[in-house]
Amino acid sequence: MINLKTFEVWFVTGSQNLYGEETLKQVAAHSQELAKGLDASGNIPVRVVYKPTVKSTQEIYDTLVAANTAENVIGVIAWMHTFSPAKMWIRGLAALKKPLLHLHTQFNRDIPWNSIDMDFMNLNQSAHGDREFGFMVSRMRKNRKVVVGHWQDPEVEKQIGDWSRAAAGWHDWQGAKIARFGDNMRFVAVTDGDKVEAELQFGFSVNSYGIGDLVAIINEVSHTEIKEQIAVYNAEYTVADDLKEGGERYASVYEAARIEVALRKFLVDGGFVGFSDTFEDLHGMVQLPGLAVQRLLAEGYGFAGEGDWKTAALVRAFKVMGAGLAGGNGFMEDYTYHFDPNNELVLGSHMLEIDASLAATKPSLEVHPLGIGGKADPARLVFNVAGGAALNASIIDVGNRFRMIVNEVEAVEVENELPKLPVARVLWKPLPDMKTGCAAWIYAGGAHHTAYSQNLSAEIIQDFAEMAGIEFIRIGKNTTIDSIKNELRWNDASFK
């Protein structure tokens, strides 16, 4: 269970000693009330913690360095209630390693027309105090999120909340471990990449483990553990009689449960938050780990097939960012197309491993031949994914940098029975339309594997990409082929 309330963002207000003790008392009181209000907002999933007003170079530096070292702090919100000379901020901003949000607000919503005087003006100087601060952050070429509006405006709260979700995902990547069973699927390019550069850029590590390391644990799983796991399946899913104990295909479910128990133990004992495998390297396993992967994804682990460690890490980040929101986040693949000119669709699926948290209704536990991988018939959950707004995202390695690509889509209800397709699946319409959306994705170099989200916005993913310092490409309702080609050219020039 991912609980974002264990994370904090610090609310830091800038001022200076010029204004005297009484004004600074008012600044502190207003800042405390503002931080308390944001902390209580249902739009912000993390804690917002007030910090004392910073009025000097040393106070700023000490506060921001303390934020760096506080383990549960995922970012800093800065606000200039009065004028805070920005040269005071240079040392602290240079030291700050965590995401920064600049809140351009003021304590009062309205100008008090009948009573406003110079005392009021001297106290409420955000309109130009924040511009002074903003200049320095821009001058230092430091990434940050700027949110403008009154702090009690629900839209402002939502923007802060969305940014905090991105910051939580970024925080989770720092020191995270992704296990890669075997290597990349042979000769496949887009799922591979520079793991050393990824650790430098993103903070997570990817290391390979022989499938024998997992098989050794599989062989040690007890009958009691397997029976307990199967009891969970019978309680949570629709299970045919021949898959229950004594049934003709019970052995397949028994083996799937054995794999799940072992795989979870491997991940927990190793402190991993995500993993990948490839069906070309599962020697010693009786069946491909479909059911186990689907259930571990639903628990919050990241996963992608065929050795795709980048997508596995991205799925994990999506899990963290989307915690507590309706809808799910999971591994996805563009599988096949419906080119009806009146109803063009993408069918998304994978061999076995679509995330159980995406299911629109109670999944069915089934066992069928796979036709690939050369293993025994594997167990898997079969279901349709619900319709509604969603997005697909991909991180690719383009040689001199990483690129995040997002395509906003509209998922539609699966109306056909699909009796001979025993896998989880979803149908969607790419925005702005099938031809433009697919062509733009291909021009951008997007992978066939994605992280699929039902509850995250492109803006959240953009905030996350900016925290990571990587390129971001958004394909949505306003995208044209000319615009996407130009953006890619400009980005190439910028990153050179």
Side-chain angles (χ1 to χ4, degrees):
M1 181 66 179
I2 299 167
N3 180 13
L4 297 186
K5 282 297 182 184
T6 62
F7 297 137
E8 297 178 1
V9 293
W10 281 3
F11 189 85
V12 180
T13 304
S15 187
Q16 60 179 321
N17 289 311
L18 174 68
Y19 302 108
E21 193 62 31
E22 288 305 311
T23 296
L24 290 174
K25 284 181 181 179
Q26 288 181 279
V27 168
H30 288 174
S31 298
Q32 289 178 63
E33 185 174 343
L34 202 153
K36 183 178 179 181
L38 294 178
D39 185 53
S41 170
N43 289 316
I44 301 175
V46 304
R47 296 293 316 282
V48 179
V49 177
Y50 163 80
K51 304 305 290 184
T53 307
V54 290
K55 309 173 295 296
S56 68
T57 298
Q58 193 62 44
E59 289 177 356
I60 293 167
Y61 177 79
D62 290 344
T63 299
L64 298 187
V65 168
N68 285 342
T69 56
E71 188 173 348
N72 62 335
V73 173
I74 62 172
V76 171
I77 299 173
W79 172 48
M80 306 304 112
H81 192 316
T82 63
F83 198 80
S84 180
K87 287 174 68 176
M88 295 194 306
W89 286 85
I90 293 174
R91 187 167 174 241
L93 288 173
L96 181 63
K97 302 300 181 184
K98 293 190 176 177
L100 174 66
L101 183 144
H102 181 189
L103 179 57
H104 186 41
T105 190
Q106 61 186 27
F107 182 73
N108 58 295
R109 191 194 71 172
D110 303 323
I111 293 175
W113 304 107
N114 294 326
S115 62
I116 186 170
D117 56 17
M118 284 310 300
D119 287 339
F120 180 93
M121 298 278 275
N122 285 332
L123 174 63
N124 297 283
Q125 296 188 52
S126 301
H128 62 286
D130 277 328
R131 282 170 165 78
E132 167 74 357
F133 177 76
F135 161 76
M136 187 52 67
V137 185
S138 295
R139 174 69 175 80
M140 295 176 69
R141 309 296 195 270
K142 194 170 186 69
N143 285 339
R144 84 286 204 185
K145 176 79 170 183
V146 178
V147 175
V148 179
H150 191 253
W151 57 278
Q152 292 176 317
D153 179 350
E155 179 57 31
V156 169
E157 293 177 348
K158 185 178 185 305
Q159 285 186 278
I160 296 172
D162 286 352
W163 168 83
S164 72
R165 288 184 176 279
W170 178 246
H171 179 81
D172 184 74
W173 265 11
Q174 307 314 300
K177 296 166 61 180
I178 305 296
R180 196 182 194 210
F181 294 109
D183 199 358
N184 200 53
M185 184 178 174
R186 295 175 197 132
F187 305 112
V188 176
V190 74
T191 54
D192 215 336
D194 189 334
K195 296 188 289 294
V196 173
E197 188 61 31
E199 188 165 353
L200 289 168
Q201 185 86 48
F202 301 131
F204 64 78
S205 63
V206 182
N207 288 293
S208 295
Y209 296 84
I211 198 65
D213 295 334
L214 178 59
V215 170
I217 302 175
I218 290 173
N219 292 337
E220 293 176 357
V221 176
S222 70
H223 176 69
T224 299
E225 291 173 304
I226 295 172
K227 294 280 286 184
E228 290 174 350
Q229 191 63 62
I230 292 174
V232 174
Y233 300 161
N234 290 329
E236 294 186 1
Y237 311 122
T238 300
V239 183
D241 288 341
D242 69 341
L243 300 183
K244 296 179 180 178
E245 189 168 8
E248 182 181 352
R249 294 182 294 169
Y250 176 69
S252 292
V253 177
Y254 190 92
E255 187 61 31
R258 185 201 306 273
I259 293 170
E260 180 177 345
V261 172
L263 186 50
R264 183 179 289 104
K265 178 175 174 55
F266 182 95
L267 297 172
V268 171
D269 290 352
F272 299 103
V273 300
F275 64 105
S276 69
D277 62 23
T278 172
F279 61 85
E280 291 179 323
D281 187 7
L282 294 175
H283 304 297
M285 295 183 67
V286 174
Q287 63 178 249
L288 274 68
L291 177 60
V293 171
Q294 289 178 291
R295 287 177 47 78
L296 287 164
L297 275 164
E299 291 177 15
Y301 287 97
F303 171 82
E306 287 90 64
D308 186 356
W309 51 271
K310 296 190 297 300
T311 303
L314 187 59
V315 169
R316 166 61 184 188
F318 276 27
K319 294 284 188 182
V320 175
M321 289 188 275
L325 295 175
N329 294 277
F331 170 51
M332 190 58 67
E333 179 172 272
D334 296 63
Y335 227 101
T336 195
Y337 291 146
H338 185 61
F339 271 133
D340 178 350
N342 297 314
N343 187 32
E344 292 184 311
L345 297 167
V346 178
L347 191 153
S349 185
H350 204 256
M351 295 185 301
L352 298 171
E353 306 100 341
I354 299 303
D355 191 335
S357 70
L358 299 172
T361 57
K362 187 176 183 179
S364 172
L365 177 58
E366 301 182 17
V367 174
H368 299 275
L370 188 60
I372 193 170
K375 299 291 181 182
D377 297 350
R380 83 291 300 271
L381 298 175
V382 178
F383 54 86
N384 293 327
V385 176
L391 61 79
N392 279 300
S394 171
I395 289 182
I396 61 170
D397 183 344
V398 294
N400 67 330
R401 65 188 185 277
F402 292 98
R403 174 183 292 160
M404 176 85 79
I405 309 164
V406 167
N407 186 194
E408 295 165 303
V409 306
E410 185 66 30
V412 300
E413 300 293 339
V414 180
E415 296 179 353
N416 301 83
E417 290 297 323
L418 303 172
K420 295 184 178 181
L421 186 65
V423 293
R425 57 270 175 146
V426 59
L427 291 171
W428 68 77
K429 295 177 179 290
L431 297 182
D433 56 69
M434 184 81 157
K435 292 180 174 61
T436 305
C438 292
W441 186 270
I442 290 171
Y443 276 120
H448 56 288
H449 287 168
T450 61
Y452 179 85
S453 178
Q454 296 173 317
N455 56 26
L456 299 177
S457 67
E459 287 79 11
I460 295 176
I461 311 308
Q462 183 171 13
D463 286 345
F464 181 80
E466 290 180 354
M467 291 171 190
I470 64 173
E471 182 184 2
F472 177 80
I473 297 292
R474 176 178 181 175
I475 303 168
K477 63 181 181 180
N478 297 319
T479 297
T480 66
I481 296 302
D482 284 345
S483 70
I484 207 75
K485 284 183 174 180
N486 282 333
E487 187 172 357
L488 291 167
R489 292 186 188 107
W490 298 333
N491 289 353
D492 275 338
S494 174
F495 278 90
K496 286 177 181 175

